[in-house]
Amino acid sequence: MFGRGADAPRAYDERGGLPTNPQAGTKSRGSGSKAAARGGATPGAGAPRGGSGAPRRPRRPRAGAWADALLLLAIALVTALAFWPALRGGFTNWDDPGYVTENYLVRDLSARGLERLFGSFVKGNYHPLTMLSLALDYHFWGLRPLGYHLTSVVLHLLTTLGVFCLVRLLAGSRALATFVALFFGIHPLHVESVAWISGRKDVLFAAFYVAAGCTYLLWLRTARASLYVGTLVLFGLSLLAKATAVTFPVALLLFDFGLRRRTAAARAVVEKLPFFALALAFGIVAVAAQKAGGALQGAPPYSSLERLLVACRNLDLYLLRSVLPVGLSALYPYPPGGALPASWLAAPFLAGALAVAAYVLGRRSRGVLVGAGFFLVNIALVLQLFPVGGAIMADRYAYLPYVGVALALGESWRMAAGPFRSGAARALGAGLLALALVALVGATRSRCQVWGSSDRLWSDVLRHYPEAGIAYRSRAEAESETGRLDESADDLERALALDPGDAAALADRGGLRLASGQYERALADLDLSIRLDGRSAAAHNSRGAAYLRLGRLAQALADFDTALRLNDALPGAYANRGSVLYRLRQLPRALADYDRYLALDPGSALVHYWRGLVWAEVGDPVRAVADFDAAIRLDPSLAYAYRERARAHA
């Protein structure tokens, strides 16, 4: 399957092997070739075969090219069938507010907006290309989730087709490329990356990563400088989509190994230096972003040995779920109490056994070693050997690494099926693969429905992990948004019973009490929440709103100032501070805050109404009428806007 001594193979053998041509891409030694001795011309030299000046006949597409095209079409259709239910999903409250629905960075595609977008960390990450893709979705679709899901599904389709091309170029086998692409395209563990709008970074970075791998392999065949530069550019775009792409230079070394490139070590290193330099730079930025977002906190303080157990256990589970995708969840919390189960002591031994199996199989086929290496290189950063965040693992982490798993499995299947060449054995093998295909498509479609709404998502998490306080809190947020306040309050009480120090749950309960007029009880919750985590702009904004309703204007103003210092794109804090300043008769400052709110969210009838009141008081009835007009246009039932507009007209 994989090359044998080729430095720069030009074309793969249709029977499945790469050519043995140590001098590929270089001139042949000397000029006395056999063709010249016979008096013939070397291929490609001199006049075309049709005679001097004779026009060349257009080449007909080879049968192999048609077969590849038909396979790509079939793979795309099967993958689209598997992920079709994702198009019916909505936004969830699992990071989607921070990325889209409440992130006003994506609403401004002006030069200043793009500057802010490329200069900001979002949710502990620096991925401006991902944010740009979401901003383009917002530009065309607003807050209609269909457009966002459609973009993600299309990106996944493109990545899947790219995986086919990558394996076709690397191994030369159409059958292996089809197996790997289908495995990647329809696997249920990929639902999180595709059906979750906040998972955009995974499908986007992987699309550029795989494309860069293809251009690199083409560069090896042709030695065209444009392909080398294209590979570097695509790698940079992948890094701008997600910093996890830093593994790409190591993947290039794996490709070299699989192709058995006979090139000097110094040359191999020099040609990859720009890739390693880019990876290092983005790695430093990624660590800074994680620190700024607090993502390096939240994991239990495990010892080095315990972290090794966690990493081995995660490695085992990712491999197990590649062939048996059961027990999937949007959240995998750390064990309650932080103590690791005794059964996890077996994880390093199982990981070692899998490594030995890969080595033994790899002695027969480099494809197994390349696949295993690709998986390990791309999964190593997220095995929680160096803990990041409060989850022990995540389905999305397996998105790109499963290309390697599929490659290793496909090569292993080929070797196992080799001795059984009878028609019956082949039919049995094809039948088993077809059953697996149908089962995976069904599991993926079912999993897409789980990601369709916040309610279903968190109820599914609680089915697996009934002691996950964050799941109760997140489901409570969803219930509150749909007006089910009693159910929301019950879930918040469950979350706080599991973790009385959950600052976010306390802030949410304070918000519920604020909405029901229990201002003093709301203040008690919000005070405690802020003492536990003073970095929450939303908690400061809610406490300021409680102070405002109690008439404690100085304290309210201080909280709104703090909220906007923590998050200068929080429109509610501008509106609330404007109300305080209006009451304090600081009318120019109130106008400025209402202006900032409406720059972020021009669709608020109430804020237009409030700004109209200020314009009327500062003696500008024309602007007051314009704001009252806007308020009435946005909400025709806003009765007092008609009254104030009449006064302004008068």
Side-chain angles (χ1 to χ4, degrees), residues 219-238:
W219 172 69
L220 293 183
R221 296 177 185 281
T222 64
R224 292 179 182 172
S226 59
L227 288 171
Y228 180 86
V229 173
T231 303
L232 195 59
V233 170
L234 288 168
F235 173 46
L237 293 173
S238 186

Side-chain angles (χ1 to χ4, degrees), residues 411-491:
E411 276 288 278
S412 301
W413 177 274
R414 181 188 65 81
M415 289 188 292
F420 303 99
R421 298 187 180 278
S422 68
R426 288 188 175 186
L428 177 61
L432 291 174
L433 286 176
L435 286 175
L437 174 71
V438 172
L440 287 175
V441 168
T444 296
R445 290 177 63 87
S446 176
R447 190 75 194 148
C448 284
Q449 293 171 1
V450 170
W451 278 92
S453 71
S454 300
D455 263 343
R456 283 189 296 233
L457 185 67
W458 297 113
S459 295
D460 180 73
V461 171
L462 289 168
R463 183 168 60 86
H464 296 289
Y465 302 101
E467 295 185 354
I470 185 177
Y472 284 113
R473 186 226 306 160
S474 300
R475 190 171 69 177
E477 291 176 7
E479 291 161 344
S480 175
E481 289 169 2
T482 54
R484 292 172 290 156
L485 301 185
D486 290 341
E487 294 174 55
S488 177
D490 289 343
D491 272 341

